[in-house]
Amino acid sequence: MNFGKRVAGSSLLASFLLSTTALADVGPRDVWESWRGYLSGFGYDVSAQEKTDGNTLNVNDLTLGMQIPDEDGTVSIDMGDIQFVDNGDGTVDVVMPSQMPMHVVVDADGENVDATVTLTHKDMTTVVSGTPEDMTYDYNASELTFDLTKLVVDGEELPGLVVNAIMQGVLGQSKMLTGDTMETQQQMSVDSIAYVVQAADPDGGGEVDLKGNMTGLKADAQMVLPLGDYTEDPAALFQAGFDIAGSYAIQGSDVDLSFEEDGAPGKAKVTTGAGDMAFEMNETVMAYGGAVSDIQINATGPDIPLPIDVSFGELGYGFEMPMKASQDQQDFSLGLVLGDLAVSEMIWSMFDPGQVLPHDPATLVIDLAGKATILKDIITLDEDSDEVPGELNALTLNDLQVHIAGASLTGMGDFVFDNSDMVSFDGFPRPEGALDLNIVGINGLMDKLVSMGLLPEEQVMGARMMLSMFSIPGEGDDELNSTIVVNEQGHVLANGQRLK
Protein backbone atom coordinates (compact mmCIF):
# COMPACT_ATOMS: atom_id res chain seq x y z
CA MET A 1 0.00 0.00 0.00
CA ASN A 2 1.57 3.32 -0.98
CA PHE A 3 2.04 6.40 1.21
CA GLY A 4 -0.76 8.39 -0.37
CA LYS A 5 -3.24 5.58 0.14
CA ARG A 6 -2.34 5.19 3.81
CA VAL A 7 -2.64 8.93 4.49
CA ALA A 8 -5.85 9.29 2.54
CA GLY A 9 -7.53 6.26 4.05
CA SER A 10 -6.66 7.07 7.65
CA SER A 11 -7.56 10.74 7.20
CA LEU A 12 -10.96 9.94 5.73
CA LEU A 13 -11.82 7.30 8.32
CA ALA A 14 -10.93 9.74 11.09
CA SER A 15 -13.18 12.36 9.50
CA PHE A 16 -16.08 9.93 9.19
CA LEU A 17 -15.75 8.51 12.70
CA LEU A 18 -15.34 11.90 14.40
CA SER A 19 -17.24 13.99 12.08
CA THR A 20 -21.09 18.50 11.69
CA THR A 21 -23.06 22.87 10.36
CA ALA A 22 -26.02 24.03 8.42
CA LEU A 23 -25.73 25.21 4.84
CA ALA A 24 -27.93 23.73 2.13
CA ASP A 25 -29.53 20.32 1.64
CA VAL A 26 -28.11 16.86 2.16
CA GLY A 27 -30.03 13.70 2.94
CA PRO A 28 -29.06 10.49 4.71
CA ARG A 29 -28.48 8.63 1.45
CA ASP A 30 -26.33 11.48 0.10
CA VAL A 31 -24.03 11.17 3.09
CA TRP A 32 -23.91 7.37 3.00
CA GLU A 33 -23.30 7.25 -0.76
CA SER A 34 -20.47 9.76 -0.37
CA TRP A 35 -18.88 7.47 2.23
CA ARG A 36 -19.29 4.48 -0.03
CA GLY A 37 -17.92 6.31 -3.07
CA TYR A 38 -14.92 7.75 -1.26
CA LEU A 39 -13.99 4.49 0.38
CA SER A 40 -14.39 2.57 -2.89
CA GLY A 41 -12.15 5.16 -4.56
CA PHE A 42 -9.41 4.43 -2.00
CA GLY A 43 -9.47 0.75 -2.95
CA TYR A 44 -11.78 -0.51 -0.19
CA ASP A 45 -14.49 -3.07 -0.95
CA VAL A 46 -17.54 -1.79 0.98
CA SER A 47 -20.20 -4.19 2.23
CA ALA A 48 -23.24 -3.29 4.33
CA GLN A 49 -26.94 -3.97 4.92
CA GLU A 50 -29.15 -0.91 4.32
CA LYS A 51 -32.64 -0.25 5.67
CA THR A 52 -34.69 2.95 5.78
CA ASP A 53 -36.94 3.50 8.79
CA GLY A 54 -38.78 6.83 8.63
CA ASN A 55 -36.20 9.61 8.57
CA THR A 56 -33.32 7.22 9.40
CA LEU A 57 -31.07 5.21 7.09
CA ASN A 58 -29.67 2.27 9.03
CA VAL A 59 -26.38 0.89 7.72
CA ASN A 60 -25.67 -2.38 9.47
CA ASP A 61 -22.75 -4.80 9.38
CA LEU A 62 -20.49 -2.27 7.65
CA THR A 63 -17.32 -4.03 6.48
CA LEU A 64 -14.31 -2.68 4.59
CA GLY A 65 -11.83 -4.88 2.77
CA MET A 66 -8.63 -4.12 0.87
CA GLN A 67 -5.97 -6.07 -0.95
CA ILE A 68 -2.31 -5.37 -0.15
CA PRO A 69 -0.53 -6.06 -3.46
CA ASP A 70 3.01 -5.40 -2.25
CA GLU A 71 2.58 -7.85 0.63
CA ASP A 72 0.21 -10.30 -1.06
CA GLY A 73 -2.31 -9.91 1.72
CA THR A 74 -5.64 -8.46 2.79
CA VAL A 75 -7.09 -6.08 5.36
CA SER A 76 -10.64 -6.45 6.66
CA ILE A 77 -12.36 -3.94 8.97
CA ASP A 78 -15.76 -4.66 10.52
CA MET A 79 -17.22 -1.33 11.70
CA GLY A 80 -20.61 -2.52 12.89
CA ASP A 81 -23.76 -0.35 12.63
CA ILE A 82 -24.19 3.36 11.82
CA GLN A 83 -27.33 5.52 11.45
CA PHE A 84 -27.84 8.53 9.19
CA VAL A 85 -30.76 10.64 10.50
CA ASP A 86 -32.51 13.35 8.45
CA ASN A 87 -33.05 16.38 10.70
CA GLY A 88 -35.60 17.94 8.31
CA ASP A 89 -33.59 21.13 7.90
CA GLY A 90 -31.13 20.03 5.22
CA THR A 91 -28.70 18.48 7.70
CA VAL A 92 -28.00 14.89 8.69
CA ASP A 93 -26.93 13.45 12.04
CA VAL A 94 -24.42 10.59 11.94
CA VAL A 95 -25.19 8.40 14.94
CA MET A 96 -22.92 5.66 16.21
CA PRO A 97 -23.55 3.44 19.23
CA SER A 98 -21.96 4.58 22.51
CA GLN A 99 -19.70 1.53 22.19
CA MET A 100 -18.57 0.64 18.68
CA PRO A 101 -16.28 -2.39 18.30
CA MET A 102 -14.21 -2.40 15.10
CA HIS A 103 -12.80 -5.75 14.09
CA VAL A 104 -9.59 -5.60 12.03
CA VAL A 105 -7.97 -8.60 10.35
CA VAL A 106 -4.66 -8.32 8.47
CA ASP A 107 -3.39 -11.34 6.59
CA ALA A 108 -0.08 -10.68 4.81
CA ASP A 109 3.24 -12.39 4.17
CA GLY A 110 2.07 -15.55 5.92
CA GLU A 111 1.21 -13.71 9.13
CA ASN A 112 -2.27 -13.16 10.53
CA VAL A 113 -3.23 -10.36 12.92
CA ASP A 114 -6.72 -10.25 14.38
CA ALA A 115 -7.56 -7.18 16.49
CA THR A 116 -10.65 -5.62 18.02
CA VAL A 117 -10.62 -1.87 18.71
CA THR A 118 -13.58 -0.41 20.62
CA LEU A 119 -14.57 3.23 20.22
CA THR A 120 -16.55 4.57 23.19
CA HIS A 121 -17.93 8.08 23.28
CA LYS A 122 -19.77 10.45 25.62
CA ASP A 123 -22.04 13.25 24.36
CA MET A 124 -20.80 12.85 20.80
CA THR A 125 -22.62 14.64 18.00
CA THR A 126 -21.85 14.64 14.31
CA VAL A 127 -23.85 16.80 11.88
CA VAL A 128 -23.40 16.91 8.10
CA SER A 129 -24.54 19.87 6.05
CA GLY A 130 -23.98 21.44 2.65
CA THR A 131 -24.62 19.71 -0.67
CA PRO A 132 -23.83 16.22 -1.94
CA GLU A 133 -20.76 17.64 -3.72
CA ASP A 134 -19.63 19.91 -0.88
CA MET A 135 -20.25 18.52 2.61
CA THR A 136 -19.25 19.90 5.99
CA TYR A 137 -18.94 17.69 9.07
CA ASP A 138 -19.04 19.38 12.49
CA TYR A 139 -18.35 17.11 15.44
CA ASN A 140 -17.74 17.30 19.16
CA ALA A 141 -17.57 14.96 22.11
CA SER A 142 -16.89 15.41 25.79
CA GLU A 143 -14.90 12.16 25.72
CA LEU A 144 -13.71 9.61 23.20
CA THR A 145 -11.99 6.37 24.20
CA PHE A 146 -10.14 3.94 21.95
CA ASP A 147 -9.43 0.50 23.42
CA LEU A 148 -7.52 -2.37 21.88
CA THR A 149 -9.64 -5.03 23.52
CA LYS A 150 -8.19 -8.06 21.72
CA LEU A 151 -5.07 -8.88 19.73
CA VAL A 152 -4.38 -12.30 18.27
CA VAL A 153 -1.22 -12.95 16.24
CA ASP A 154 -1.00 -16.17 14.24
CA GLY A 155 -3.74 -17.74 16.34
CA GLU A 156 -2.26 -16.83 19.74
CA GLU A 157 -3.80 -14.08 21.86
CA LEU A 158 -1.24 -11.81 23.49
CA PRO A 159 -1.76 -11.95 27.26
CA GLY A 160 -1.74 -8.93 29.55
CA LEU A 161 -1.94 -6.45 26.67
CA VAL A 162 -3.59 -3.10 27.40
CA VAL A 163 -3.69 -0.31 24.80
CA ASN A 164 -6.06 2.62 25.16
CA ALA A 165 -6.34 6.34 24.61
CA ILE A 166 -8.83 8.79 26.12
CA MET A 167 -9.48 12.12 24.42
CA GLN A 168 -11.24 14.85 26.44
CA GLY A 169 -12.95 17.89 24.95
CA VAL A 170 -12.95 17.03 21.26
CA LEU A 171 -14.12 19.69 18.80
CA GLY A 172 -13.62 19.75 15.05
CA GLN A 173 -14.79 20.36 11.52
CA SER A 174 -14.13 18.58 8.23
CA LYS A 175 -15.01 19.89 4.79
CA MET A 176 -15.13 17.56 1.77
CA LEU A 177 -15.47 18.79 -1.80
CA THR A 178 -15.73 16.30 -4.66
CA GLY A 179 -15.19 16.67 -8.36
CA ASP A 180 -12.34 15.22 -10.38
CA THR A 181 -10.52 15.04 -7.02
CA MET A 182 -11.57 14.94 -3.41
CA GLU A 183 -10.50 17.98 -1.40
CA THR A 184 -10.63 17.99 2.38
CA GLN A 185 -9.97 20.60 5.03
CA GLN A 186 -9.88 19.54 8.66
CA GLN A 187 -9.50 21.36 11.95
CA MET A 188 -9.59 19.76 15.37
CA SER A 189 -8.83 20.66 18.96
CA VAL A 190 -8.54 18.31 21.94
CA ASP A 191 -8.25 19.49 25.54
CA SER A 192 -6.22 16.45 26.61
CA ILE A 193 -5.17 12.97 25.51
CA ALA A 194 -4.18 10.25 27.97
CA TYR A 195 -2.85 6.92 26.73
CA VAL A 196 -1.66 3.64 28.22
CA VAL A 197 0.32 0.74 26.74
CA GLN A 198 0.97 -2.33 28.88
CA ALA A 199 2.46 -5.54 27.53
CA ALA A 200 4.24 -8.65 28.77
CA ASP A 201 6.55 -11.08 26.99
CA PRO A 202 4.61 -14.36 26.60
CA ASP A 203 7.85 -16.21 27.34
CA GLY A 204 8.35 -14.33 30.60
CA GLY A 205 11.31 -12.28 29.41
CA GLY A 206 9.96 -8.93 30.56
CA GLU A 207 7.12 -6.42 30.62
CA VAL A 208 6.44 -2.80 29.68
CA ASP A 209 4.13 -0.22 31.25
CA LEU A 210 3.86 3.13 29.41
CA LYS A 211 1.58 6.02 30.33
CA GLY A 212 1.43 9.41 28.64
CA ASN A 213 -0.51 12.67 28.39
CA MET A 214 -0.78 15.56 25.96
CA THR A 215 -2.64 18.82 26.60
CA GLY A 216 -3.93 21.60 24.38
CA LEU A 217 -3.73 19.75 21.06
CA LYS A 218 -4.69 21.69 17.92
CA ALA A 219 -4.40 20.21 14.44
CA ASP A 220 -5.30 21.12 10.89
CA ALA A 221 -4.80 19.43 7.56
CA GLN A 222 -5.61 19.98 3.90
CA MET A 223 -5.57 17.29 1.25
CA VAL A 224 -6.26 16.94 -2.46
CA LEU A 225 -6.76 13.30 -3.40
CA PRO A 226 -7.27 12.18 -7.02
CA LEU A 227 -10.08 9.66 -7.25
CA GLY A 228 -9.20 6.23 -8.58
CA ASP A 229 -7.00 3.28 -7.75
CA TYR A 230 -3.29 4.19 -7.72
CA THR A 231 -2.13 1.22 -5.67
CA GLU A 232 0.08 -0.10 -8.46
CA ASP A 233 1.51 3.29 -9.46
CA PRO A 234 2.12 5.74 -6.58
CA ALA A 235 3.94 8.14 -8.93
CA ALA A 236 0.74 8.52 -10.94
CA LEU A 237 -1.08 9.55 -7.76
CA PHE A 238 1.25 12.52 -7.33
CA GLN A 239 1.16 13.37 -11.02
CA ALA A 240 -2.65 13.45 -10.84
CA GLY A 241 -2.50 16.13 -8.14
CA PHE A 242 -2.09 14.47 -4.74
CA ASP A 243 -1.27 17.18 -2.21
CA ILE A 244 -1.26 17.01 1.58
CA ALA A 245 -0.24 19.58 4.17
CA GLY A 246 -0.92 20.08 7.83
CA SER A 247 0.30 21.06 11.26
CA TYR A 248 -0.31 20.44 14.92
CA ALA A 249 0.63 22.10 18.20
CA ILE A 250 0.49 21.05 21.85
CA GLN A 251 0.81 22.94 25.10
CA GLY A 252 2.75 20.18 26.86
CA SER A 253 3.25 16.45 27.25
CA ASP A 254 4.65 13.82 29.58
CA VAL A 255 5.49 10.13 29.25
CA ASP A 256 6.22 7.63 32.03
CA LEU A 257 7.78 4.28 31.15
CA SER A 258 8.60 1.40 33.46
CA PHE A 259 9.90 -1.95 32.28
CA GLU A 260 11.50 -5.16 33.38
CA GLU A 261 13.97 -7.15 31.30
CA ASP A 262 15.16 -10.55 32.51
CA GLY A 263 14.25 -9.61 36.06
CA ALA A 264 16.04 -6.25 35.99
CA PRO A 265 13.78 -3.17 36.34
CA GLY A 266 14.11 0.18 34.60
CA LYS A 267 12.14 3.37 34.14
CA ALA A 268 12.13 6.59 32.14
CA LYS A 269 10.23 9.87 32.26
CA VAL A 270 10.04 12.52 29.55
CA THR A 271 8.27 15.87 29.89
CA THR A 272 8.02 18.72 27.39
CA GLY A 273 6.61 22.18 27.13
CA ALA A 274 4.94 23.58 24.04
CA GLY A 275 5.67 21.97 20.68
CA ASP A 276 4.58 22.16 17.07
CA MET A 277 5.08 20.35 13.77
CA ALA A 278 4.21 21.07 10.13
CA PHE A 279 4.47 18.99 6.96
CA GLU A 280 3.80 19.23 3.23
CA MET A 281 4.05 16.70 0.44
CA ASN A 282 3.06 16.87 -3.21
CA GLU A 283 4.53 16.34 -6.66
CA THR A 284 6.94 19.28 -6.35
CA VAL A 285 8.07 19.46 -2.71
CA MET A 286 8.46 17.52 0.53
CA ALA A 287 8.87 19.48 3.76
CA TYR A 288 8.82 18.59 7.44
CA GLY A 289 9.76 20.52 10.53
CA GLY A 290 8.96 21.27 14.13
CA ALA A 291 10.19 22.32 17.53
CA VAL A 292 9.70 21.34 21.17
CA SER A 293 10.66 23.39 24.21
CA ASP A 294 11.58 22.57 27.80
CA ILE A 295 12.44 18.89 27.39
CA GLN A 296 13.40 16.91 30.48
CA ILE A 297 14.59 13.28 30.28
CA ASN A 298 15.21 11.04 33.29
CA ALA A 299 16.02 7.36 32.93
CA THR A 300 17.49 4.41 34.83
CA GLY A 301 17.91 0.83 33.69
CA PRO A 302 19.91 -2.38 33.92
CA ASP A 303 22.32 -1.30 31.16
CA ILE A 304 22.67 2.30 32.39
CA PRO A 305 25.56 2.75 34.85
CA LEU A 306 24.00 5.80 36.53
CA PRO A 307 20.75 7.74 36.24
CA ILE A 308 20.36 9.82 33.07
CA ASP A 309 19.20 13.37 33.75
CA VAL A 310 19.23 15.48 30.59
CA SER A 311 17.33 18.61 29.57
CA PHE A 312 16.97 20.70 26.42
CA GLY A 313 15.74 24.26 26.26
CA GLU A 314 14.77 23.62 22.65
CA LEU A 315 14.86 20.81 20.11
CA GLY A 316 14.15 21.96 16.56
CA TYR A 317 14.43 20.26 13.20
CA GLY A 318 13.34 20.73 9.62
CA PHE A 319 14.02 20.05 5.98
CA GLU A 320 12.60 20.97 2.59
CA MET A 321 13.51 19.25 -0.65
CA PRO A 322 12.28 19.47 -4.25
CA MET A 323 10.63 16.38 -5.71
CA LYS A 324 10.08 17.11 -9.40
CA ALA A 325 12.65 17.16 -12.20
CA SER A 326 13.30 20.56 -13.76
CA GLN A 327 15.98 22.34 -15.75
CA ASP A 328 15.68 25.23 -13.30
CA GLN A 329 17.54 25.29 -10.00
CA GLN A 330 15.30 24.58 -7.00
CA ASP A 331 15.59 25.46 -3.32
CA PHE A 332 16.31 23.04 -0.48
CA SER A 333 17.06 23.52 3.21
CA LEU A 334 18.06 21.65 6.34
CA GLY A 335 18.10 22.78 9.95
CA LEU A 336 18.79 21.45 13.43
CA VAL A 337 18.70 23.13 16.84
CA LEU A 338 19.80 21.53 20.10
CA GLY A 339 19.44 24.45 22.47
CA ASP A 340 20.68 24.64 26.06
CA LEU A 341 21.52 20.96 26.47
CA ALA A 342 22.27 20.33 30.14
CA VAL A 343 23.19 17.19 32.07
CA SER A 344 23.11 16.55 35.80
CA GLU A 345 26.12 17.08 38.07
CA MET A 346 26.17 13.33 38.66
CA ILE A 347 26.93 12.80 34.96
CA TRP A 348 29.49 15.63 34.96
CA SER A 349 31.23 14.03 37.93
CA MET A 350 32.07 10.94 35.85
CA PHE A 351 34.62 12.81 33.73
CA ASP A 352 35.06 16.13 35.58
CA PRO A 353 35.02 15.35 39.30
CA GLY A 354 37.22 18.37 40.04
CA GLN A 355 34.87 20.75 38.19
CA VAL A 356 37.68 21.99 35.96
CA LEU A 357 35.35 22.64 33.02
CA PRO A 358 32.47 25.13 32.95
CA HIS A 359 29.24 23.17 33.29
CA ASP A 360 27.20 25.60 31.22
CA PRO A 361 24.48 24.19 28.90
CA ALA A 362 25.66 23.31 25.39
CA THR A 363 24.07 24.44 22.13
CA LEU A 364 24.28 23.24 18.53
CA VAL A 365 22.67 25.17 15.65
CA ILE A 366 22.97 24.27 11.96
CA ASP A 367 21.05 26.20 9.30
CA LEU A 368 21.73 25.21 5.69
CA ALA A 369 20.05 26.35 2.47
CA GLY A 370 20.91 25.72 -1.14
CA LYS A 371 19.89 25.18 -4.72
CA ALA A 372 19.92 21.96 -6.73
CA THR A 373 18.96 20.80 -10.20
CA ILE A 374 16.72 17.73 -10.01
CA LEU A 375 17.32 15.50 -13.03
CA LYS A 376 14.66 12.86 -12.32
CA ASP A 377 11.39 12.90 -10.37
CA ILE A 378 12.24 11.76 -6.85
CA ILE A 379 8.97 9.87 -6.45
CA THR A 380 9.87 7.60 -9.40
CA LEU A 381 13.33 6.63 -8.10
CA ASP A 382 14.04 3.02 -7.23
CA GLU A 383 14.80 2.90 -3.50
CA ASP A 384 17.59 0.40 -4.18
CA SER A 385 19.21 2.52 -6.89
CA ASP A 386 22.58 4.23 -6.41
CA GLU A 387 21.70 6.77 -9.09
CA VAL A 388 22.34 10.42 -8.18
CA PRO A 389 19.09 12.20 -9.10
CA GLY A 390 20.44 15.74 -9.30
CA GLU A 391 23.26 18.28 -9.15
CA LEU A 392 24.28 20.54 -6.29
CA ASN A 393 24.38 24.16 -7.50
CA ALA A 394 24.74 26.29 -4.39
CA LEU A 395 25.05 25.90 -0.63
CA THR A 396 24.74 28.57 2.05
CA LEU A 397 25.59 28.12 5.70
CA ASN A 398 23.26 30.68 7.22
CA ASP A 399 24.22 29.88 10.78
CA LEU A 400 26.58 27.55 12.62
CA GLN A 401 26.83 27.62 16.41
CA VAL A 402 28.58 25.23 18.75
CA HIS A 403 28.82 26.21 22.42
CA ILE A 404 30.24 23.70 24.89
CA ALA A 405 32.35 23.73 28.06
CA GLY A 406 33.20 27.42 27.78
CA ALA A 407 34.31 27.29 24.12
CA SER A 408 32.37 28.33 21.03
CA LEU A 409 32.49 28.01 17.26
CA THR A 410 30.34 30.18 15.01
CA GLY A 411 30.33 30.49 11.27
CA MET A 412 28.67 31.55 8.02
CA GLY A 413 29.49 30.67 4.42
CA ASP A 414 28.32 30.73 0.84
CA PHE A 415 29.41 28.54 -2.09
CA VAL A 416 28.38 27.82 -5.67
CA PHE A 417 29.35 24.61 -7.49
CA ASP A 418 30.58 23.93 -11.01
CA ASN A 419 29.26 20.52 -12.04
CA SER A 420 31.30 20.57 -15.25
CA ASP A 421 34.48 20.26 -13.17
CA MET A 422 34.46 16.94 -11.31
CA VAL A 423 38.26 16.63 -11.34
CA SER A 424 39.56 19.43 -9.13
CA PHE A 425 37.94 17.94 -6.02
CA ASP A 426 38.13 14.23 -6.87
CA GLY A 427 34.64 13.48 -8.19
CA PHE A 428 32.89 16.35 -6.37
CA PRO A 429 31.69 19.47 -8.23
CA ARG A 430 34.19 22.31 -7.82
CA PRO A 431 33.05 24.84 -5.18
CA GLU A 432 33.67 28.57 -5.27
CA GLY A 433 33.02 30.81 -2.29
CA ALA A 434 34.06 31.55 1.29
CA LEU A 435 33.48 30.28 4.83
CA ASP A 436 34.02 32.60 7.83
CA LEU A 437 34.65 31.02 11.24
CA ASN A 438 35.11 32.47 14.71
CA ILE A 439 36.50 30.32 17.55
CA VAL A 440 36.58 31.47 21.17
CA GLY A 441 38.08 29.65 24.16
CA ILE A 442 39.51 26.66 22.29
CA ASN A 443 43.03 26.95 23.72
CA GLY A 444 41.70 27.26 27.26
CA LEU A 445 39.49 24.21 26.71
CA MET A 446 42.43 22.15 25.43
CA ASP A 447 44.55 23.19 28.45
CA LYS A 448 41.83 22.03 30.80
CA LEU A 449 41.40 18.72 28.99
CA VAL A 450 45.16 18.11 29.28
CA SER A 451 45.14 18.93 33.02
CA MET A 452 42.27 16.45 33.46
CA GLY A 453 44.23 13.74 31.63
CA LEU A 454 41.61 13.46 28.89
CA LEU A 455 43.94 14.67 26.10
CA PRO A 456 47.65 13.85 25.67
CA GLU A 457 49.91 16.90 25.45
CA GLU A 458 51.36 15.79 22.09
CA GLN A 459 47.90 15.65 20.50
CA VAL A 460 47.13 19.14 21.74
CA MET A 461 50.40 20.42 20.24
CA GLY A 462 49.41 18.96 16.88
CA ALA A 463 45.95 20.52 17.11
CA ARG A 464 47.43 23.93 17.91
CA MET A 465 49.77 23.71 14.92
CA MET A 466 46.82 22.86 12.70
CA LEU A 467 44.83 25.80 14.08
CA SER A 468 47.74 28.15 13.40
CA MET A 469 47.68 27.12 9.72
CA PHE A 470 43.97 27.85 9.32
CA SER A 471 43.39 30.82 11.64
CA ILE A 472 44.64 34.19 12.82
CA PRO A 473 44.27 35.80 16.28
CA GLY A 474 41.05 37.72 16.89
CA GLU A 475 40.43 40.86 18.92
CA GLY A 476 39.47 39.09 22.14
CA ASP A 477 41.36 36.86 24.53
CA ASP A 478 41.72 33.29 23.23
CA GLU A 479 39.86 34.20 20.03
CA LEU A 480 40.68 32.94 16.54
CA ASN A 481 39.24 33.88 13.15
CA SER A 482 39.46 31.98 9.91
CA THR A 483 38.29 32.71 6.38
CA ILE A 484 38.46 29.72 4.04
CA VAL A 485 38.17 30.66 0.37
CA VAL A 486 37.90 28.45 -2.70
CA ASN A 487 38.51 30.53 -5.83
CA GLU A 488 37.50 29.95 -9.45
CA GLN A 489 40.77 28.12 -10.16
CA GLY A 490 39.96 25.58 -7.44
CA HIS A 491 42.64 26.93 -5.09
CA VAL A 492 41.91 26.69 -1.35
CA LEU A 493 43.15 29.61 0.77
CA ALA A 494 43.02 30.13 4.52
CA ASN A 495 43.27 33.82 5.46
CA GLY A 496 44.97 34.51 2.13
CA GLN A 497 47.50 31.64 2.46
CA ARG A 498 47.16 29.00 -0.26
CA LEU A 499 46.65 25.45 1.05
CA LYS A 500 45.71 23.73 -2.22
Side-chain angles (χ1 to χ4, degrees), residues 28-39:
R29 185 154 294 279
D30 295 324
V31 179
W32 164 236
E33 290 300 332
S34 74
W35 284 38
R36 179 188 288 276
Y38 296 153
L39 291 168

Side-chain angles (χ1 to χ4, degrees), residues 61-110:
D61 302 324
L62 175 57
T63 301
L64 310 179
M66 177 180 283
Q67 297 290 321
I68 312 177
D70 293 343
E71 300 178 13
D72 191 24
T74 59
V75 176
S76 176
I77 305 174
D78 183 356
M79 298 178 60
D81 303 334
I82 299 176
Q83 293 180 319
F84 300 88
V85 182
D86 192 335
N87 294 318
D89 60 359
T91 68
V92 173
D93 283 347
V94 180
V95 180
M96 292 180 289
S98 59
Q99 280 197 335
M100 183 178 178
M102 291 183 289
H103 187 207
V104 182
V105 177
V106 180
D107 193 348
D109 286 343

